[in-house]
Amino acid sequence: LLHWCMAIIIIYALIAGYAMHLVMNKPKLFHILSVLNMSWATIGAFLLVLRWIWRFFRVEPELPSSIPKLQRHIAKLAHSVIYLLMLVVFVSGFLMLKENYSFFWLFEIPNPVKNAEVNAFFFSVHRVSCVLLLLMVVIHIIAVVKHRYINRNDVLNSMLITRRLSD
């Protein structure tokens, strides 16, 4: 369930983040997207910490034995890179802000860094890490499709909620 919540938040945040650049000339729409993007990213950062902790306590789904050992290692490395990129995206997104932000219009979350040069640095880090995360998400989805429709193995089933609930 954490996987799918994170997937939805990450995909939404990537789309909304890039869409914001298309509406910079519409301040009200830009502000709405900004609040939603930062609010969902705040939830995503919290879920990332939970998911990272949960990795130490859960039983990792078994990959089909037909998957070569090298490919298993590459998959593990790719997942670690995705976790690292999510962390960098969330942290840099927070540190790039020049002002406090609203959490779903409920309350303000303070920005710890008020230095324009530092904010600009983290803005650059955020942009690069978002592109890299998008690339890794696309690779992840391609790998899932490959395993499902070309290899026809159970990799996708090991990620589905219905299978876990029936076990």
Side-chain angles (χ1 to χ4, degrees):
L1 186 58
L2 282 173
H3 174 272
W4 295 105
C5 289
M6 288 298 297
I8 290 167
I9 289 171
I10 293 296
I11 291 169
Y12 167 80
L14 286 169
I15 291 169
Y18 287 107
M20 288 169 60
H21 294 285
L22 301 174
V23 297
M24 292 183 82
N25 60 339
K26 299 176 182 170
K28 287 184 181 180
L29 182 55
F30 182 86
H31 178 71
I32 290 169
L33 287 175
S34 180
V35 169
L36 289 173
N37 198 27
M38 287 304 301
S39 298
W40 283 114
T42 301
I43 292 171
F46 175 73
L47 290 177
L48 177 63
V49 171
L50 282 180
R51 190 153 184 237
W52 183 76
I53 292 169
W54 179 242
R55 283 184 82 173
F56 295 105
F57 297 100
R58 73 176 175 96
V59 176
E60 205 168 297
E62 285 292 320
L63 292 174
S65 57
S66 61
I67 297 177
K69 192 174 185 178
L70 177 61
Q71 204 173 41
R72 291 170 190 259
H73 290 304
I74 291 170
K76 196 174 230 22
L77 175 64
H79 284 100
S80 296
V81 169
I82 289 172
Y83 273 89
L84 176 63
L85 285 170
M86 286 188 296
L87 177 67
V88 172
V89 165
F90 290 138
V91 170
S92 64
F94 183 61
L95 295 175
M96 74 180 200
L97 298 175
K98 297 173 184 153
E99 302 171 7
N100 300 345
Y101 70 95
S102 173
F103 183 77
F104 291 114
W105 298 277
L106 300 172
F107 55 88
E108 290 278 310
I109 296 181
N111 178 16
V113 179
K114 305 270 189 225
N115 181 308
E117 289 176 9
V118 173
N119 297 132
F121 169 77
F122 281 109
F123 179 73
S124 297
V125 170
H126 188 70
R127 289 180 69 167
V128 170
S129 60
C130 282
V131 170
L132 293 174
L133 180 58
L134 176 61
L135 179 64
M136 289 304 294
V137 166
V138 169
I139 290 169
H140 185 67
I141 292 169
I142 289 170
V144 169
V145 169
K146 174 194 173 284
H147 283 286
R148 176 72 177 168
Y149 295 105
I150 295 173
N151 296 31
R152 298 190 186 278
N153 58 33
D154 276 344
V155 170
L156 181 60
N157 289 343
S158 70
M159 293 188 297
L160 294 176
I161 297 168
T162 54
R163 169 136 184 217
R164 290 188 183 162
L165 294 176
S166 65
D167 287 347

